[in-house]
Amino acid sequence: MTKERFRRDRKRLAIGAAGILGVLAFAPAPVGAVTIATVPVAALSAGEPGDTNDGESPRVRGAEDGAPPGRPAADPSPLPAFPPFPSPTLPRPAPSPPAASTAPAPSPAPAATPTASPAPAPAPAPGFGAYLHYSPRGITDMAAFSRWLGGREVTVGHTYLPGDVWQNIEGAPAWLADWAAWYKAEPGRTLVLNVPMLERTEARVPDAMVARELRRGAAGAYDGHFERLARRLVGLGVKDAVLVVGWEMNGTTYTHRCGPDPRAWRTYWARIARVMNGVEGAGFRFDFTPTRGRDATPWTECYPGDDVVDIVGMDSYDQPYGTDFDRQISEPYGLQAQVDFAAKHGKAISYPEWGLFKNGDNAEYMRRMIRWMDAHPPLYQTISDYCPHGVWQCRMNQRATAVYRQAFKAGGGLPAEDAGEKEQAPMRDCRPVRLGGWLEERLGGRLCVRFNW
């Protein structure tokens, strides 16, 4: 750190401290005991325990956080293909015993010499990665992320297509070629690409307009956009990419939400999958990924069908505020519901987005989520690694980061089932002190002042 930067940092801390003292000095409250605590920033605006999942997603925060993109530019370039990701199969039921017979028993045949059966092939390890940034910076950061984990290989690259205009949904951004180059550089890699279903993805389009757009898509009005995307990806050599189409459709954040017309949404999603895999050479795998919980619409109402879905994913952040992990498992349309639904339909599961959120630096959530994925192995999982969700790029989550790093570093191991920690309890009736993002990150959260009288 340079001397100049040190002086700037010291000045900022001094200003922040003065702000705290000012709030305490001039707060309109009776004289009495004062409690000061550091609480997660998101918790102060997250509502009470028991609130439904609000569907908030990283894309809302803008590309400066590492969140997926706004308006990048375009340029194609062909690269070779790669074999498909193995998909687990469900066990077949055991055959029924034969019916009893009254015929005389035959003479016993000579005993056969026993031969050893070949050992079953081990299940493939779940694909491992992190969302670090949508642009080529995310590719560069993967190498540093791997070093931070002691050389642990990152096998899944995860990025997002911008959803502002159709041209970008068609695969125009130039950096798509960089991701394709990363994908072909080593065997065993997987590229996960989130694909919006409609332009103006985050424009808060009203429900009536969304319903009209979904019906147009279901009728084939937008087939050409997705055919062009498929040709672009095949030309780049990523013909078997995992495509997370219309993610978090059960919430309200995105224009491609399901709620305004679930029937049209299902038809449109299925149509996209058929159009894209109808392009010569294509063999994309389609991931149906709602947010955890009921949210605005039960996600089962949006399921487009077994013939077009390859993976049943789930974006599962540590929210709402005050919700423990047992509730995240057992709630309607929660983690257990996802696993059961996927098994019933013969599909693999995935966690394209997961991480910390409304409950701050919650080491117990991190421990339990890692153990959940060990008990229910996904085809792949990619933590959203930027604040407030992440670990490597987010210094405010130090306790959870230690758990994550111990579990996923080269030679690491599963975290203890019960480390004696309690999940963070809400602090109520306190007055938040806004100090700005720079100071709050260094404090590990926002100061909250409660006057007890």
Side-chain angles (χ1 to χ4, degrees):
M1 180 184 290
T2 64
K3 292 182 179 179
E4 181 61 30
R5 183 176 173 185
F6 176 77
R7 283 195 293 271
R8 287 200 306 268
D9 288 356
R10 187 170 57 182
K11 184 177 180 180
R12 286 174 177 169
L13 287 169
I15 293 170
I20 296 169
L21 294 174
V23 168
L24 295 177
F26 296 104
V31 176
V34 177
T35 303
I36 302 177
T38 303
V39 298
V41 173
L44 299 170
S45 58
E48 295 300 315
D51 288 352
T52 57
N53 186 336
D54 61 4
E56 187 171 356
S57 165
R59 265 75 53 214
V60 178
R61 298 179 187 88
E64 66 278 3
D65 302 279
R71 292 179 165 80
D75 185 35
S77 134
L79 298 170
F82 197 71
F85 212 127
S87 195
T89 55
L90 295 178
R92 296 182 180 178
S96 302
S101 170
T102 57
S107 300
T113 304
T115 57
S117 300
F128 169 74
Y131 172 75
L132 301 170
H133 200 272
Y134 68 88
S135 74
R137 188 186 111 190
I139 300 169
T140 304
D141 285 351
M142 273 195 285
F145 181 68
S146 173
R147 288 193 297 272
W148 179 71
L149 291 173
R152 168 73 184 266
E153 184 181 5
V154 179
T155 58
V156 181
H158 188 182
T159 188
Y160 294 72
L161 286 174
D164 52 344
V165 294
W166 280 117
Q167 182 186 11
N168 284 330
I169 297 173
E170 292 171 3
W175 42 258
L176 207 51
D178 297 297
W179 284 98
W182 170 85
Y183 166 77
K184 73 169 259 187
E186 294 287 343
R189 288 179 172 178
T190 298
L191 179 63
V192 177
L193 179 66
N194 279 49
V195 179
M197 295 169 67
L198 294 167
E199 64 179 349
R200 296 187 294 162
T201 305
E202 298 179 36
R204 302 294 181 183
V205 175
D207 281 354
M209 188 178 295
V210 169
R212 286 196 298 272
E213 290 292 286
L214 292 175
R215 290 169 198 148
R216 282 175 54 80
Y222 303 131
D223 287 2
H225 299 301
F226 295 98
E227 182 179 348
R228 282 188 281 276
L229 172 60
R231 293 188 185 283
R232 166 85 158 128
L233 293 172
V234 169
L236 288 171
V238 285
K239 64 181 182 181
D240 65 337
V242 173
L243 304 181
V244 187
V245 175
W247 67 100
E248 299 184 5
M249 77 302 294
N250 56 325
T252 59
T253 300
Y254 299 111
T255 304
H256 58 229
R257 58 190 179 272
C258 171
D261 192 334
R263 182 177 179 180
W265 194 94
R266 293 192 301 267
T267 303
Y268 182 27
W269 199 99
R271 189 175 190 110
I272 292 170
R274 293 189 184 104
V275 165
M276 293 192 69
N277 269 342
V279 168
E280 184 178 358
F284 303 112
R285 291 157 294 165
F286 287 87
D287 192 333
F288 169 80
T289 298
T291 55
R292 193 198 72 245
R294 187 187 187 282
D295 213 317
T297 306
W299 51 260
T300 52
E301 294 182 9
C302 309
Y303 187 69
D306 290 346
D307 58 328
V308 288
V309 172
D310 299 293
I311 307 160
V312 175
M314 184 162 279
D315 288 351
S316 187
Y317 293 100
D318 185 20
Q319 63 172 344
Y321 181 48
T323 300
D324 64 20
F325 199 80
D326 287 333
R327 174 64 179 165
Q328 295 180 27
I329 294 172
S330 64
E331 67 179 325
Y333 309 100
L335 291 169
Q336 188 64 56
Q338 175 213 15
V339 168
D340 293 344
F341 184 91
K344 179 180 177 181
H345 291 264
K347 305 300 178 185
I349 63 170
S350 71
Y351 297 103
E353 296 181 20
W354 66 278
L356 304 158
F357 196 7
K358 303 273 182 167
N359 297 301
D361 183 13
N362 189 349
E364 185 63 14
Y365 161 83
M366 184 63 69
R367 184 175 294 105
R368 296 284 303 276
M369 186 65 186
I370 292 169
R371 292 192 67 89
W372 175 264
M373 291 188 290
D374 180 71
H376 307 278
L379 195 61
Y380 70 92
Q381 57 90 358
T382 49
I383 190 171
S384 297
D385 192 58
Y386 56 91
C387 288
H389 310 304
V391 286
W392 178 58
Q393 296 189 115
C394 193
R395 286 176 289 177
M396 65 193 293
N397 297 324
Q398 294 182 13
R399 293 187 306 126
T401 295
V403 173
Y404 180 93
R405 191 178 190 189
Q406 180 59 38
F408 290 117
K409 70 181 182 180
L414 201 61
E417 188 167 2
D418 182 4
E421 294 188 29
K422 298 293 184 184
E423 296 190 69
Q424 185 161 324
M427 180 177 180
R428 306 194 182 283
D429 304 321
C430 65
R431 179 174 307 181
V433 180
R434 299 181 183 275
L435 304 173
W438 181 89
L439 188 54
E440 286 166 4
E441 181 178 337
R442 281 148 184 79
L443 292 172
R446 182 176 296 161
L447 289 186
C448 198
V449 182
R450 181 171 61 203
F451 295 92
N452 305 312
W453 57 81

